[in-house]
Amino acid sequence: MVKFIFITGGVLSSVGKGIMTSSIGKMLQSRGYTVSTVKIDPYVNVDAGTMNPYMHGEVFVTDDGGETDLDLGHYERFLDINLPKFNNITTGQVYASVIEKERKGEYLGQCVQIIPHITDEIKNRIKSAAKMAGSDVLLVEIGGTVGDIEGLPFLEAARQLRLEEAFNDTLFVHVALVPILNSTREQKSKPCQHSVQEMRRIGIQPDIIVARCKDPLEVDVKRKISLFGSVPYDAVFTSYDVDCIYQVPLNLDKQGMGEYVTKRLGLNGRKADWSDWASVVDAFNKNVKTVKIAMCGKYTKLADSYVSIMESIHHSAGKIGAKVEMEWIETTKFEDNPSEVKILEDYQGIIVLPGFGSRGTEGKIKAINYARENNIPFLGICYGFQLATVEYARNVLGFTNANTTECDPSTPYPVIDLLPEQRAIGSMGGTMRLGAYKIALKPGSLASKLYGKNEAYERHRHRYEINPKYWKELEMAGLEFSGWSADLKRVEFLELPSHPFFLGTQSHPEFRSRPGKPSPPYFGFIKASAKLA
Ligand code: GLN
């Protein structure tokens, strides 16, 4: 029988529930239990795919082509699991399926209501996710903050599940901010107390309270939270600030959280084995060398827009014991002032990030040109790969005004063009080329050396590709196409053999990178940037 752990958040959003959910999962895994995770997003969008990364952070892509919340990325990285898109439940999905059933007449004669129909649908989805995973424990993170109107049906469904399941089979963990006042340096527990009260008003008494605080909780503050939150003193933990997020499960387990959780769930007292995880985390703290990377893109004001890419870089640097400094560069500034591109000489590596639309693309092309001509290691991801092709067509082949038709539909040289199957597509949600596909790598190429084989399996999210009409000319001019889709219909990797490290990929290898097992293209890029390869 599966056990359910619900993770809720209080006081404000971005309190670290995703890392907390992942960390609880890790504490269970370290004791030999299998886990899976579900993220509930109470917004009305069916999925995260149509949202601006500025608002909601990165759109994470699953193997099966889901465009999901970025927390699924945290779960996959911490727990080394691949989740199906079904494990990101939204209000949009729940209502869409209830309304579809209503139209089919499945509720004939009934008045269809939030309770029980919407809440039943939510419970069924949670149980189906548990069944599909077949794990010992399913962790369910309820997004947003307790008290949000749109979160209420999900909390109500969780409340009902607690009633329906055996006492030992459900557990509620509430994560809330404990701020420290600048003036007095005091840790303030009141907001946390209030958010627990809000939980109780909804009918849920948390079993565990985790304070999210800059520093470990002081004994008095912990006592207060225990008293007013109505949980035992031993059930209050602190998730305090750390340099490396992968340290969090170790810190919580040290406070006794893993033991408390397993006991409360009636799981037998297995001992935790942290040896593998601790050695991965240790490597992150070595910092024998610093590498400075230029992150060229357009959503650079919110680091969460590229969280999987940042983590892939961390995984890569961690593996070689290096420290990376990632600096965000809005490429529009190279458009306003082309000589600004010279600032790139201060970086050991240049990444051109994924993206959509034309803002900043001319600046990205300038950055790629600089990397290519000055032999600075370059990695182009998705849009970065496409724009590297545009740069090559313009500046090596002399195709004046070559472009992607995404930016210039009437370019004389459409070297990047819509995928043929995209031409008939009108609606925007879930219609890109999505999910993981096999990639055939050219034997002997940089790409095949990085993967250590002639095959890769990476996730995708795009509508455009290198136009087959220009394959020959580009290759003749020295751009090597080193990775192809299995049907050889589209280019997946490009490289420049004459350059120290110049690699682009149509795919998003960052979505499959893990701590201790960095994604090969990122690892190769960081090694080249650190001059270790
Ligand atoms: N805009 C490009 C496309 O749709 C690239 C997408 C991306 O970088 N994810 O193909």
Side-chain angles (χ1 to χ4, degrees):
M1 283 306 286
V2 63
K3 299 186 183 278
F4 297 97
I5 302 181
F6 292 95
I7 294 91
T8 57
V11 182
L12 40 78
S13 61
S14 306
V15 76
K17 295 191 298 295
I19 304 293
M20 182 55 54
T21 306
S22 308
S23 298
I24 300 171
K26 200 76 220 165
M27 287 185 259
L28 290 162
Q29 275 186 342
S30 75
R31 289 167 170 79
Y33 297 105
T34 56
V35 297
S36 188
T37 46
V38 161
K39 172 75 193 288
I40 288 174
D41 280 303
Y43 47 65
V44 183
N45 303 58
V46 169
D47 61 37
T50 53
M51 261 184 280
N52 187 330
Y54 258 150
M55 276 183 62
H56 203 72
E58 159 189 289
V59 176
F60 185 76
V61 180
T62 54
D63 267 353
D64 65 355
E67 296 177 286
T68 72
D69 183 76
L70 60 83
D71 278 324
L72 271 80
H74 288 310
Y75 310 154
E76 290 202 351
R77 288 187 283 270
F78 271 78
L79 304 171
D80 199 9
I81 52 177
N82 291 315
L83 293 165
K85 59 181 162 193
F86 189 80
N87 288 27
N88 190 187
I89 304 174
T90 66
T91 294
Q93 291 166 23
V94 171
Y95 273 79
S97 61
V98 169
I99 291 168
E100 196 187 318
K101 283 184 205 157
E102 187 275 333
R103 291 290 82 186
K104 280 190 189 149
E106 287 183 29
Y107 305 112
L108 224 47
Q110 297 176 49
C111 170
V112 182
Q113 296 183 295
I114 293 178
I115 305 173
H117 302 97
I118 294 294
T119 46
D120 280 353
E121 177 68 27
I122 295 167
K123 285 189 289 180
N124 287 340
R125 280 176 180 253
I126 292 171
K127 286 181 191 163
S128 302
K131 206 181 246 167
M132 274 176 359
S135 56
D136 300 321
V137 181
L138 182 76
L139 295 126
V140 182
E141 176 188 344
I142 303 182
T145 311
V146 169
D148 294 345
I149 290 178
E150 57 187 10
L152 286 173
F154 294 101
L155 289 165
E156 169 58 18
R159 186 191 70 82
Q160 293 174 16
L161 252 172
R162 153 161 278 184
L163 278 181
E164 293 161 14
E165 303 291 317
F167 174 76
N168 277 342
D169 289 347
T170 61
L171 175 78
F172 280 80
V173 179
H174 187 64
V175 189
L177 181 76
V178 172
I180 298 178
L181 282 191
N182 263 345
S183 49
T184 56
R185 308 296 313 140
E186 251 184 304
Q187 297 178 344
K188 304 302 283 183
S189 69
K190 190 74 86 190
C192 171
Q193 294 175 35
H194 276 294
S195 77
V196 176
Q197 276 166 20
E198 187 61 24
M199 285 283 285
R200 286 210 218 104
R201 203 180 61 77
I202 295 165
I204 299 170
Q205 166 63 50
D207 302 291
I208 290 175
I209 299 173
V210 181
R212 182 69 190 85
C213 187
K214 197 173 153 292
D215 303 317
L217 278 194
E218 283 152 20
V219 171
D220 283 356
V221 181
K222 199 169 152 182
R223 276 213 188 98
K224 247 192 214 166
I225 291 176
S226 151
L227 178 66
F228 292 102
S230 203
V231 299
Y233 181 80
D234 293 346
V236 182
F237 303 96
T238 326
S239 174
Y240 48 88
D241 285 4
V242 282
D243 286 336
C244 168
I245 50 172
Y246 302 110
Q247 180 75 43
V248 175
L250 294 164
N251 291 355
L252 289 165
D253 207 33
K254 236 182 244 152
Q255 295 170 48
M257 187 167 177
E259 209 180 312
Y260 193 92
V261 167
T262 43
K263 237 192 217 155
R264 168 63 181 72
L265 289 175
L267 297 170
N268 63 22
R270 290 185 203 161
K271 263 201 126 44
D273 175 4
W274 285 108
S275 45
D276 288 351
W277 189 255
S279 67
V280 168
V281 174
D282 276 352
F284 282 110
N285 301 322
K286 287 222 174 76
N287 299 343
V288 285
K289 192 166 187 165
T290 302
V291 200
K292 212 163 118 183
I293 303 294
M295 311 282 284
C296 302
K298 83 167 174 180
Y299 309 112
T300 53
K301 286 205 181 70
L302 179 69
D304 262 0
S305 306
Y306 302 109
V307 58
S308 291
I309 291 181
M310 290 169 70
E311 287 309 311
S312 303
I313 293 172
H314 280 308
H315 302 162
S316 303
K319 187 93 180 172
I320 54 172
K323 177 178 172 294
V324 267
E325 280 169 15
M326 292 179 234
E327 279 177 30
W328 302 99
I329 296 180
E330 276 281 339
T331 49
T332 41
K333 75 173 172 196
F334 301 149
E335 295 168 7
D336 302 340
N337 183 1
S339 64
E340 273 268 311
V341 77
K342 283 217 176 64
I343 61 158
L344 291 174
E345 72 186 358
D346 291 340
Y347 297 86
Q348 277 102 57
I350 297 172
I351 292 198
V352 173
L353 298 159
F356 296 86
S358 46
R359 189 170 70 83
T361 50
E362 288 301 320
K364 285 182 180 174
I365 293 168
K366 285 193 169 63
I368 296 165
N369 177 260
Y370 194 87
R372 185 174 62 76
E373 290 187 343
N374 293 282
N375 289 327
I376 302 175
F378 164 79
L379 183 63
I381 303 295
C382 205
Y383 214 13
F385 156 95
Q386 296 174 356
L387 296 174
T389 310
V390 172
E391 192 279 325
Y392 209 76
R394 284 186 191 175
N395 301 321
V396 178
L397 277 166
F399 290 176
T400 316
N401 296 329
N403 216 327
T404 160
T405 51
E406 181 171 357
C407 297
D408 179 4
S410 54
T411 166
Y413 300 101
V415 289
I416 304 294
D417 200 7
L418 268 184
L419 291 158
E421 64 271 28
Q422 286 284 325
R423 294 187 193 282
I425 287 174
S427 68
M428 302 293 278
T431 55
M432 287 188 231
R433 178 173 178 245
L434 291 166
Y437 293 98
K438 252 198 197 137
I439 298 171
L441 302 175
K442 195 162 152 188
S445 63
L446 169 65
S448 82
K449 279 184 199 136
L450 294 174
Y451 280 89
K453 52 187 176 189
N454 296 329
E455 196 181 273
Y457 184 66
E458 298 291 6
R459 300 180 191 174
H460 295 75
R461 183 171 186 251
H462 64 119
R463 287 188 206 284
Y464 294 81
E465 63 167 347
I466 299 186
N467 188 342
K469 226 174 98 182
Y470 295 98
W471 285 352
K472 232 199 198 122
E473 278 160 298
L474 287 161
E475 283 212 284
M476 295 281 284
L479 195 61
E480 185 179 342
F481 295 151
S482 54
W484 293 83
S485 59
D487 59 6
L488 303 179
K489 278 195 176 144
R490 52 196 51 132
V491 183
E492 293 272 15
F493 274 91
L494 64 75
E495 54 194 75
L496 276 180
S498 56
H499 190 282
F501 189 99
F502 192 98
L503 186 74
T505 176
Q506 184 60 81
S507 67
H508 290 266
E510 62 273 15
F511 294 135
R512 291 175 62 87
S513 186
R514 307 281 198 254
K517 290 188 260 176
S519 158
Y522 286 89
F523 189 47
F525 167 70
I526 291 296
K527 270 203 310 197
S529 303
K531 301 236 162 17
L532 292 173

